[in-house]
Amino acid sequence: MKRKLTLKSIAKELGVSISTVSKALRDSPEISEETREKIKAYAKLYNYKPNNIALSLKNRKTNTIGVIIPQIVHHFFTTVIQGIEHEAREKNYNVIICLSNNDFDKEVLNMELLANGSTDGFILSVSKETMLKEDYHHLNEVIEQGMPVVMFDRVVDGIQCDRVLIDDKEGAKKGVTHMIRSGCRKIGIITSEDYVSVGRLRTEGYLDALDDFGIEPDDKRILKLDNIDDLNDKSKKRIEEFITKNDLDGVFTVNELFAVHASRVISGLGKKIPDDISLVCFTDGQLSEHAVPSLTAVSQHGEEMGRKAAAMLIDKLERPEDEEEEYSTAYIDTSLVERESTKEVIKR
Amino acid sequence: MKRKLTLKSIAKELGVSISTVSKALRDSPEISEETREKIKAYAKLYNYKPNNIALSLKNRKTNTIGVIIPQIVHHFFTTVIQGIEHEAREKNYNVIICLSNNDFDKEVLNMELLANGSTDGFILSVSKETMLKEDYHHLNEVIEQGMPVVMFDRVVDGIQCDRVLIDDKEGAKKGVTHMIRSGCRKIGIITSEDYVSVGRLRTEGYLDALDDFGIEPDDKRILKLDNIDDLNDKSKKRIEEFITKNDLDGVFTVNELFAVHASRVISGLGKKIPDDISLVCFTDGQLSEHAVPSLTAVSQHGEEMGRKAAAMLIDKLERPEDEEEEYSTAYIDTSLVERESTKEVIKR
DNA sequence: TAACTGAACTTAATCGATTTAGTCGTGTAA
DNA sequence: TTACACGACTAAATCGATTAAGTTCAGTTA
């Protein structure tokens, strides 16, 4: 087993002091040309790389971003991470990803862990449990210690940090408006309970779209499920009931899973998509693209969101200390990806 | 901004030496009961947490596992990560995830980066480019430095490390055998070129199953695409051609995407799944579960794979230095998840 | 020739923790 | 009274790097 080179071992080998080696490698003019060349040649030959841990300790800077997300088995988060990765890599930062599994305690634990020297700042999407508990002491703590935080997607108010949000309301409005323009009038929505911010906002967008066209909203056409992240049996049942008992010509859902199940139920009733019922969902992922029929979807541009979040964090990290703190919220635009589950817009 | 507590600041505040504080917090009998209590109370009150970076430097141990994967936007890798995370968390290790994006240079860069003190060992699935290049110097280098490596899923030979593999051959055989038992005789396979090990092995399993039942293999019924990770237009075309021009009563694919597209093509030809053509794919993910018809799939148990990989790595990390090095390969069993795309097995 | 300059190094402090090797005063035994 | 043991600490080395503050010696200048 070959032991890693250190400044010390190089110094010993070449008969100079540690600081001479350090300075030579950093091209200090204090060191003579001759010595510098000799040391650099040796370092190169044996592939010397400084120890990151020692550098972090010395510089009190890790050049690492901590990302905390509720779950990774979720296409949207995955694309966000990809965006964070790309931006970070370009700006010479590393990324550490931790999963909270939608568990409050784990979120706190992960943050504490990473906050003890492992990262310079955080990008996070709070877990469902945290939103329910409304306990944000862990966020406030790291912020007080001077670590900047950027929240994305699932954000909460009253925290001193930057935010990156999907324009959920506008996105939902786009999707529903498209259905209305293509002739739908009796549109239902499958959404989540209001405490999940994205669910609430998308519901608002839905209502906005109806309002724009003078369509009266109807509570019976709004289904609020309590789990937005997966599709359990209870949710399946409620979707079946919702679609079977309502007289609808369009359904908007806040995620792909709800849409895929709705699609199945609709087909099972012998109805045609989009001729009898149109279907639009939020989140453009694998399922929307490959389902049969493929689903018209509101694309969230997760990658862009990740890039933006990382850019905002790095910006804060590299801002001179004396500069005034200012927090902003960035919105990432959505776009509608038209596929087989909706009809053409009626032109006048 | 509240500055983080350090041993030094506590020592100063309480008028004792740094080492007294350290010892008191670690319950050393060298320190009097009285002093110990006082220090611990203070530390607790102000929520002292030791700095991980300093600990890592001192202990030459980071308690962190580096995970390098080709891409994260892939359900299988995602489940593996989840498994790694769970196992690591239980054994008090952290996980750093880096993406290689199937790019050789990035894989090398990431490894070098993490190897410089950030992690104690690696879990990785090599990128496609690395397999093509057959250049494994970066792996050998970290191994020589004494960092254990565990490879999973996409492994290469001739490296001193543990491996965790899906039993790809057996899995494919299971899937194809199921089709044969349900009455199929003219079974095609959509797979990858042989340099991707998983593609090659799954093709072997397919051939094995045919052989078991005395069915003559036919090269025309084997389609080898060059990209196994996504479904591009060229692949789509070739799948369409393959299914249209062949007379098949069953199709086995090495991933979900190929299957979903095959399903679409089959339906487009007016044929019924599974009555006219059965469909089975490798990898049990979101698409198999939610497609219409839902797909019978060979489940890879990614989470279990991740757990096993992490367990093997941690085992190596915690093994006493003098113990002899031994490398082993673990196989994770697959299981067949029967859904709507296959017929019942014919009982005799 | 004494004082000064500057090139080329080395020493030592520092980051935050752990740990081995002292130190110091008190109490006990010879 | 002296030596020794022991309890309760402190000092200092260490991990691997950086860097401000010396040091050393040859060469220049008044």
Side-chain angles (χ1 to χ4, degrees):
Chain A
M1 189 173 110
K2 201 170 58 183
R3 201 32 180 267
K4 268 227 118 166
L5 280 188
T6 63
L7 289 187
K8 199 174 173 183
S9 68
I10 298 177
K12 197 171 163 194
E13 194 62 36
L14 298 182
V16 293
S17 78
I18 294 175
S19 55
T20 303
V21 179
S22 173
K23 285 174 181 164
L25 293 175
R26 322 189 97 237
D27 271 323
S28 159
E30 273 183 77
I31 309 300
S32 72
E33 182 88 351
E34 193 194 7
T35 314
R36 231 189 298 163
E37 288 312 319
K38 186 179 68 182
I39 292 174
K40 286 173 111 175
Y42 185 93
K44 181 149 194 189
L45 180 62
Y46 294 103
N47 193 29
Y48 168 77
K49 293 265 162 55
N51 179 308
N52 287 327
I53 294 285
L55 282 177
S56 295
L57 182 60
K58 179 71 181 135
N59 302 334
R60 294 132 133 271
K61 175 110 167 70
T62 61
N63 264 61
T64 300
I65 294 173
V67 178
I68 296 182
I69 51 172
Q71 47 170 309
I72 202 172
V73 189
H74 196 305
H75 189 259
F76 170 66
F77 285 123
T78 293
T79 56
V80 174
I81 289 174
Q82 195 130 359
I84 294 174
E85 260 278 337
H86 285 157
E87 185 74 17
R89 189 67 60 207
E90 271 170 30
K91 302 208 172 142
N92 233 339
Y93 278 75
N94 300 316
V95 176
I96 298 186
I97 299 159
C98 280
L99 309 179
S100 66
N101 277 315
N102 265 321
D103 179 71
F104 175 76
D105 293 330
K106 208 160 164 202
E107 186 177 298
V108 174
L109 216 79
N110 276 331
M111 282 206 86
E112 280 181 355
L113 193 95
L114 294 186
N116 289 325
S118 304
T119 63
D120 297 336
F122 287 97
I123 295 178
L124 87 157
S125 184
V126 296
S127 79
K128 206 179 77 180
E129 239 189 76
T130 307
M131 286 197 144
L132 271 170
K133 276 199 163 173
E134 299 188 358
D135 180 348
Y136 314 124
H137 76 275
H138 52 308
L139 298 181
N140 287 320
E141 232 159 63
V142 299
I143 290 169
E144 242 185 45
Q145 278 165 27
M147 308 185 89
V149 168
V150 175
M151 289 208 268
F152 74 93
D153 197 48
R154 299 198 188 159
V155 310
V156 296
D157 287 332
I159 309 279
Q160 296 246 316
C161 69
D162 286 329
R163 282 159 233 268
V164 188
L165 287 172
I166 295 293
D167 198 337
D168 285 291
K169 195 166 158 182
E170 192 60 33
K173 195 171 160 184
K174 258 183 213 168
V176 175
T177 300
H178 179 73
M179 282 198 271
I180 299 176
R181 288 225 174 98
S182 72
C184 303
R185 285 297 173 274
K186 294 173 287 184
I187 301 174
I189 181 171
I190 304 178
T191 180
S192 76
E193 294 292 352
D194 284 344
Y195 68 81
V196 182
S197 60
V198 300
R200 188 185 65 245
L201 290 166
R202 291 172 195 177
T203 309
E204 284 173 18
Y206 158 81
L207 293 170
D208 263 24
L210 295 188
D211 190 55
D212 274 5
F213 288 82
I215 301 175
E216 199 64 31
D218 181 349
D219 273 357
K220 286 205 305 290
R221 292 188 179 148
I222 300 178
L223 174 63
K224 291 185 181 174
L225 301 174
D226 36 51
N227 210 338
I228 195 174
D229 289 320
D230 61 356
L231 179 67
N232 54 33
D233 286 340
K234 189 179 150 210
S235 299
K236 278 188 182 175
K237 275 242 170 63
R238 293 192 61 196
I239 290 177
E240 282 156 32
E241 213 180 277
F242 179 71
I243 291 180
T244 313
K245 297 205 175 151
N246 259 303
D247 172 31
L248 302 171
D249 59 10
V251 174
F252 181 79
T253 73
V254 296
N255 69 22
E256 287 188 308
L257 283 175
F258 295 172
V260 164
H261 195 62
S263 170
R264 197 175 252 275
V265 174
I266 293 168
S267 302
L269 290 172
K271 301 203 177 171
K272 289 262 172 273
I273 298 174
D275 303 321
D276 300 326
I277 301 186
S278 293
L279 193 51
V280 174
C281 68
F282 217 101
T283 307
D284 178 36
Q286 271 206 326
L287 286 176
S288 313
E289 187 181 346
H290 297 290
V292 180
S294 59
L295 305 175
T296 293
V298 178
S299 172
Q300 289 172 297
H301 303 294
E303 166 128 18
E304 201 188 314
M305 188 166 205
R307 289 197 91 104
K308 182 68 189 173
M312 286 174 103
L313 185 67
I314 293 172
D315 207 64
K316 277 273 187 299
L317 288 174
E318 300 192 338
R319 171 181 302 238
E321 286 235 5
D322 50 341
E323 218 164 299
E324 217 179 312
E325 299 285 356
E326 262 179 37
Y327 301 102
S328 63
T329 300
Y331 282 90
I332 305 295
D333 266 344
T334 55
S335 56
L336 193 73
V337 180
E338 289 184 49
R339 297 211 181 85
E340 300 167 349
S341 69
T342 48
K343 295 171 286 187
E344 296 256 315
V345 166
I346 299 163
K347 298 221 176 79
R348 282 169 300 173
Chain B
M1 189 173 110
K2 199 170 57 183
R3 204 26 182 270
K4 268 225 115 167
L5 279 182
T6 64
L7 290 187
K8 201 174 171 181
S9 68
I10 297 178
K12 199 171 161 192
E13 195 60 38
L14 299 183
V16 293
S17 77
I18 295 175
S19 52
T20 303
V21 178
S22 173
K23 285 173 182 165
L25 294 176
R26 322 190 95 239
D27 272 324
S28 159
E30 274 182 76
I31 308 300
S32 70
E33 182 87 53
E34 192 195 6
T35 314
R36 232 189 299 163
E37 288 312 321
K38 184 179 68 180
I39 292 175
K40 285 173 114 175
Y42 185 91
K44 182 149 193 189
L45 179 61
Y46 293 103
N47 193 30
Y48 168 77
K49 293 267 160 56
N51 179 310
N52 287 328
I53 295 284
L55 283 177
S56 296
L57 183 60
K58 179 71 180 137
N59 301 335
R60 291 129 136 272
K61 177 111 167 63
T62 61
N63 264 64
T64 300
I65 294 173
V67 178
I68 297 183
I69 51 171
Q71 46 169 318
I72 202 172
V73 189
H74 196 306
H75 188 261
F76 171 64
F77 284 123
T78 292
T79 54
V80 175
I81 290 175
Q82 195 129 1
I84 294 174
E85 260 278 336
H86 284 159
E87 186 75 17
R89 188 70 59 206
E90 271 171 29
K91 301 207 174 143
N92 232 338
Y93 277 76
N94 299 315
V95 176
I96 298 187
I97 300 158
C98 279
L99 309 178
S100 66
N101 275 315
N102 264 321
D103 178 72
F104 175 76
D105 292 331
K106 207 160 165 205
E107 186 176 298
V108 174
L109 214 80
N110 275 331
M111 281 206 86
E112 281 182 354
L113 192 97
L114 295 187
N116 289 325
S118 305
T119 62
D120 296 337
F122 287 98
I123 295 178
L124 88 158
S125 183
V126 297
S127 80
K128 206 179 78 178
E129 238 189 77
T130 307
M131 286 198 143
L132 271 171
K133 276 200 163 172
E134 299 189 0
D135 180 348
Y136 313 124
H137 76 276
H138 52 306
L139 297 182
N140 287 320
E141 233 159 62
V142 299
I143 291 169
E144 243 187 42
Q145 279 165 26
M147 308 185 87
V149 168
V150 175
M151 290 209 268
F152 73 92
D153 197 47
R154 300 198 187 160
V155 311
V156 296
D157 287 333
I159 309 278
Q160 297 245 315
C161 68
D162 285 331
R163 282 159 233 270
V164 188
L165 286 171
I166 294 293
D167 199 337
D168 285 291
K169 195 167 160 181
E170 193 59 33
K173 194 172 163 185
K174 257 182 215 168
V176 176
T177 300
H178 180 73
M179 282 197 273
I180 298 175
R181 288 225 174 99
S182 72
C184 303
R185 284 299 173 274
K186 295 172 288 185
I187 300 174
I189 180 171
I190 304 178
T191 179
S192 75
E193 293 293 351
D194 283 344
Y195 69 80
V196 182
S197 60
V198 300
R200 188 185 65 246
L201 291 166
R202 291 171 196 177
T203 309
E204 284 173 18
Y206 158 80
L207 292 170
D208 262 25
L210 295 188
D211 190 55
D212 274 5
F213 287 82
I215 301 175
E216 198 64 31
D218 180 348
D219 273 357
K220 287 205 304 291
R221 291 189 179 146
I222 299 179
L223 173 62
K224 290 184 182 173
L225 301 174
D226 35 54
N227 211 337
I228 196 175
D229 289 321
D230 60 354
L231 180 67
N232 55 33
D233 286 341
K234 191 179 149 207
S235 298
K236 278 187 181 175
K237 274 241 171 65
R238 294 190 61 197
I239 291 177
E240 282 156 31
E241 215 180 275
F242 178 73
I243 290 182
T244 313
K245 296 202 175 153
N246 259 303
D247 172 31
L248 303 170
D249 59 9
V251 175
F252 181 79
T253 73
V254 296
N255 68 23
E256 287 188 309
L257 283 175
F258 295 172
V260 164
H261 195 61
S263 168
R264 198 176 253 275
V265 174
I266 293 168
S267 303
L269 290 172
K271 300 201 175 170
K272 290 261 173 273
I273 299 173
D275 304 321
D276 301 324
I277 301 186
S278 292
L279 193 51
V280 174
C281 67
F282 217 101
T283 306
D284 177 37
Q286 271 207 325
L287 285 175
S288 314
E289 187 181 347
H290 297 290
V292 181
S294 57
L295 305 174
T296 293
V298 178
S299 172
Q300 290 171 296
H301 303 295
E303 165 128 18
E304 200 188 315
M305 187 167 207
R307 290 197 90 105
K308 182 68 190 174
M312 285 174 104
L313 186 67
I314 293 172
D315 207 64
K316 277 271 187 301
L317 288 173
E318 301 194 335
R319 172 182 303 241
E321 286 235 4
D322 49 341
E323 217 165 297
E324 217 178 313
E325 297 287 355
E326 263 180 34
Y327 301 101
S328 63
T329 300
Y331 284 90
I332 303 296
D333 266 343
T334 55
S335 57
L336 193 73
V337 181
E338 289 184 51
R339 296 211 181 84
E340 299 166 350
S341 69
T342 47
K343 293 171 287 187
E344 296 254 317
V345 166
I346 299 164
K347 300 223 173 78
R348 284 169 301 174

